Amino acid sequence: MPDVYVAPQAKLPIRVDNLTLNPIGLNFETRDDTEEVVLLLRRHVITNIPWIIIAIIMLFAPLVLSFFPLLSFLPLRFQFMATIIWYLLTTAFIFENFLSWYFNVYLVTNERIIDYDFFNLLYKNTSDAELNKIQDINVQMGGLSQTLFNYGTVLIETAGEIPNLEFDLVPNPAYVVKVIRELEDQIPPGGNL
Amino acid sequence: MNSNDFLTMFLNAQIWLVVKLFVILALLIYLIFAIVIIRQVDLMTKAINFSLDGILKIIAVIHFVGAIVIFLVALIVL
């Protein structure tokens, strides 16, 4: 594993086990002028496998129907439309799942940690906590898949009324904790960077 | 053709007309869903900017146009 977090000046994006250190061109709506994104995290790529398998089955399902003509009772024009509508739904299924994975991100900046959640279609939830408010960080890893592919959940407990943050199924959780801890250490006493 | 055959044929035609109406209605609802996806992608890309934002917006619009085309095809074909 490469050295964790060297310095805020290190601007080159580095890919470490499915997570991005110092991502370039990343901006978010609540960003301060002085704030730099250190770590960009998403759920591990492997967590997409279940919906990808379903999508592949959906893509090939009409071919199976050519061997088992379950829709043969329908007039030909309805069979044609059923196939087209099926592929439309498959496209939507794939696109929605990809969007859900792509935009549910966790950011670690040199000032705070941010959790972006997009649920269903139009519900958005953003939680953030300043680095100096972090009290405790726990890592939860369990099961064959998580052990094999080195991913898990990072639970970040914060002080006071600020809600606790949860980085779900992120790759290399131990490394994430190390980066956050190193950033915390760089904060001068009584304030942020 | 006796009156029974005629009635059966008439009812059969009516059933497919009802099915057609349901399909059209479902596709109309799907059109709304496609608009929601465009709005959703817009909302997401405003919140966080990634390099793929432009491509995702284009895919969302293509998906919406595809839904319109399929809606029109359903109106013509069914």
Side-chain angles (χ1 to χ4, degrees), chain A:
Chain A
M1 192 190 296
D3 237 3
V4 183
Y5 176 61
V6 182
Q9 291 82 7
K11 289 286 192 331
L12 283 176
I14 305 165
R15 298 280 304 165
V16 185
D17 289 353
N18 288 306
L19 49 84
T20 310
L21 202 60
N22 302 321
I24 282 183
L26 174 66
N27 207 356
F28 53 95
E29 56 188 349
T30 55
R31 184 179 184 170
D32 293 341
D33 293 337
T34 55
E35 200 168 8
E36 286 181 41
V37 181
V38 176
L39 206 54
L40 163 67
L41 297 159
R42 290 188 180 92
R43 277 187 290 117
H44 196 288
V45 179
I46 209 82
T47 59
N48 290 316
I49 294 291
W51 72 258
I52 288 173
I53 290 171
I54 293 171
I56 291 168
I57 292 169
M58 285 173 83
L59 282 173
F60 288 103
L63 285 180
V64 176
L65 282 180
S66 61
F67 296 106
F68 305 100
L70 297 173
L71 297 178
S72 56
F73 68 95
L74 291 173
L76 210 59
R77 60 185 201 278
F78 279 94
Q79 287 184 36
F80 169 71
M81 281 313 299
T83 310
I84 289 183
I85 291 169
W86 178 261
Y87 280 120
L88 188 69
L89 292 174
T90 306
T91 311
F93 176 77
I94 294 170
F95 196 43
E96 271 299 312
N97 275 293
F98 176 78
L99 288 178
S100 170
W101 172 75
Y102 191 74
F103 282 102
N104 277 300
V105 294
Y106 313 107
L107 301 175
V108 179
T109 74
N110 58 342
E111 292 176 14
R112 58 195 167 136
I113 47 176
I114 308 160
D115 176 2
Y116 276 98
D117 288 319
F118 291 91
F119 303 107
N120 303 322
L121 283 174
L122 289 173
Y123 182 68
K124 182 180 80 169
N125 180 37
T126 312
S127 320
D128 70 327
E130 289 178 5
L131 287 172
N132 59 2
K133 298 283 192 309
I134 294 173
Q135 284 194 326
D136 201 14
I137 306 176
N138 295 310
V139 173
Q140 282 181 354
M141 272 177 86
L144 182 69
S145 170
Q146 294 187 21
T147 311
L148 208 60
F149 295 101
N150 188 23
Y151 67 94
T153 301
V154 179
L155 297 163
I156 299 160
E157 286 178 30
T158 51
E161 307 258 320
I162 307 162
N164 295 337
L165 299 179
E166 207 173 294
F167 290 2
D168 278 324
L169 306 175
V170 290
N172 212 337
Y175 179 76
V176 174
V177 173
K178 203 172 171 186
V179 171
I180 295 172
R181 285 296 182 211
E182 286 189 14
L183 283 166
E184 254 187 302
D185 290 344
Q186 291 177 12
I187 300 172
N192 268 332
L193 280 173

